[in-house]
Amino acid sequence: MITRRTLLGGLAAGAATAALAGRAAGTPAPRAAAALPLHLVNNSGAYANGSVWIYILGNDGTQQVRVTPDGRLAPVSLADNGPDGFTDYAIPLAATGTTTVQLPPMSGRIYTSLGAKLKIKAVADGNGRPALAYPAGWVASDPNYDVLHDCAEFTYNSGGMFCNTTMVDMFSVPLALRLTGSGDQTTGTLKDGARARIFADVKAAAGFDRLVLGDRRVIAPGHGLDSGLFAADYFAPAVDAAWSAYAGKDLTVTTNAGAFTGRVSGDQLTFTGPGAAAGGVSFTRPGTRDVLFCDGTLAAPNDGTRGPLAAVLGAALNRSTLATHAAQPVTDPAAFYQQPLTNHYARAMHTATTDGKAYGFAFDDVAGFASYIEDHAPKELTLTLTPF
């Protein structure tokens, strides 16, 4: 399965905004097949079609690209910046009803903006190649901070369509994906009134209240930490509890490679198991930022050993199951977010969706709880702005 972590890779855009935007598009394999019909449906109930714009931005495997309103794949160019200093890559919706765009093979994001167009600048990356400074709605100085916007992510290549709705960075616009082909799948759909419930739930959680930016968006706690809106040591007690628990007993983590046994010594949690080196696979006690971004000491390389272990540990800490469950990963969602000290942002996202799935943090795909769908013989993809 292509997860969000393998679906998207970093494309440095040579600008502070682009660096803060985090993950841009990845690099799919070439595909000679025809483009895929992408249907865009505005059921927001809050904005008319004439006040909604779509942007399809990403990478075709060799360069950063965007999709034009007529379905062509066009390379990003610095010359695309207009007199205001920004590109206009917007795809307008039809006056009424469904808008259909032909989606070429590529990997990237489908942005939606409501009430105003996005201000996206073409810049030179570190190698002097054209790139994009992606919107970063969690950064107060970003030109799109006051614009209501959100995105879904995808890779469409010779293997099929792989896509997700994401709240890893922020949540603002309710979006749902429907993918038809060998099957008929939907993800991302919120319960009735759930947008307001997300805002209220995050606002009410101790330490998370400043992540709610009016009625515009809720930003993820990792970005809140970087902006001084979230405590940099929030997860320290939970990490300490887990490190203490496994200083005296085994922690078992099962991945596709098999079962690993972990023990803590000092600041190191060391696993032995299939494929592990002679000294085992060790993780230094992670900080709160490592937990929230699933990075740093919890970075997950695509190596089949350390990567899956890091993902399981990161998920268990975000879901507050690590100290209490010596067999990981926990697969019963009833056990998630039961401790007062937990990722209440992710909890609110999962509570809000009709299928209980969401991408509230980067390792939410562990045990299959991410708002992710795939089809190896896709026929159509529909992105719907669902009711506010």
Side-chain angles (χ1 to χ4, degrees):
M1 183 181 79
I2 295 182
T3 67
R4 182 178 192 271
R5 284 171 278 125
T6 55
L7 185 153
L8 296 173
L11 284 179
T17 303
L20 288 165
R23 296 154 304 279
T27 52
R31 180 184 174 95
L36 186 74
L38 168 64
H39 306 300
L40 305 165
V41 181
N42 175 23
N43 287 339
S44 67
Y47 291 83
N49 278 20
S51 297
V52 177
W53 295 271
I54 303 297
Y55 303 76
I56 306 174
L57 312 173
N59 193 296
D60 69 354
T62 62
Q63 61 187 338
Q64 288 205 26
V65 294
R66 50 100 174 197
V67 175
T68 65
D70 59 0
R72 291 183 299 105
L73 203 60
V76 170
S77 171
L78 299 185
D80 291 341
N81 291 325
D84 64 350
F86 299 100
T87 63
D88 186 358
Y89 290 161
I91 298 174
L93 297 189
T96 60
T98 299
T99 304
T100 299
V101 177
Q102 298 303 311
L103 183 65
M106 60 178 292
S107 182
R109 289 174 171 173
I110 306 169
Y111 282 92
T112 65
S113 70
L114 294 78
K117 290 185 177 182
L118 290 171
K119 297 178 179 179
I120 301 174
K121 183 184 290 292
V123 298
D125 68 12
N127 296 314
R129 302 178 62 187
L132 292 175
Y134 285 77
W138 51 93
V139 179
S141 60
D142 188 87
N144 299 292
Y145 187 75
D146 291 327
V147 179
L148 193 66
H149 68 278
D150 221 314
C151 73
E153 301 172 328
F154 72 95
T155 284
Y156 175 46
N157 62 22
S158 58
M161 170 58 78
F162 312 86
C163 51
N164 67 78
T165 60
T166 176
M167 297 90 159
V168 168
D169 292 319
M170 67 179 207
F171 167 77
S172 181
V173 180
L175 300 174
L177 289 169
R178 181 183 181 188
L179 178 59
T180 59
S182 57
D184 189 340
Q185 306 172 77
T186 301
T187 195
T189 306
L190 298 190
K191 300 172 183 175
D192 291 345
R195 183 181 189 269
R197 176 53 55 193
I198 288 173
F199 280 65
D201 282 355
V202 176
K203 186 79 170 179
F208 287 72
D209 57 305
R210 292 192 294 166
L211 301 178
V212 179
L213 305 180
D215 189 47
R216 188 181 304 119
R217 65 184 60 93
V218 182
I219 63 172
H223 291 308
L225 187 157
D226 285 346
S227 301
L229 302 176
F230 191 79
D233 60 352
Y234 176 81
F235 272 108
V239 173
D240 290 346
W243 254 238
S244 177
Y246 300 112
K249 64 179 181 181
D250 289 342
L251 169 64
T252 301
V253 173
T254 302
T255 72
N256 289 340
F260 292 79
T261 300
R263 275 292 185 107
V264 169
S265 176
D267 278 345
Q268 300 293 313
L269 170 57
T270 301
F271 289 93
T272 56
V281 180
S282 293
F283 295 87
T284 302
R285 187 188 307 252
T288 293
R289 195 177 193 283
D290 299 333
V291 174
L292 292 173
F293 281 102
C294 303
D295 201 1
T297 63
L298 294 176
N302 188 23
D303 62 357
T305 304
R306 184 180 187 87
L309 288 171
V312 171
L313 291 176
L317 285 166
N318 277 281
R319 296 167 179 166
S320 62
T321 64
L322 186 56
T324 56
H325 293 71
Q328 294 286 341
V330 176
T331 58
D332 180 4
F336 299 169
Y337 311 113
Q338 294 304 303
Q339 304 301 315
L341 199 159
T342 192
N343 188 334
H344 290 287
Y345 172 89
R347 174 186 59 78
M349 302 303 164
H350 284 273
T351 300
T353 58
T354 57
D355 59 5
K357 296 185 177 182
Y359 250 124
F361 59 92
F363 290 166
D364 232 343
D365 57 299
V366 169
F369 290 99
S371 50
Y372 166 88
I373 49 179
E374 65 178 54
D375 195 302
H376 299 283
K379 294 179 179 178
E380 295 179 312
L381 178 65
T382 302
L383 175 69
T384 302
L385 283 70
T386 56
F388 273 51

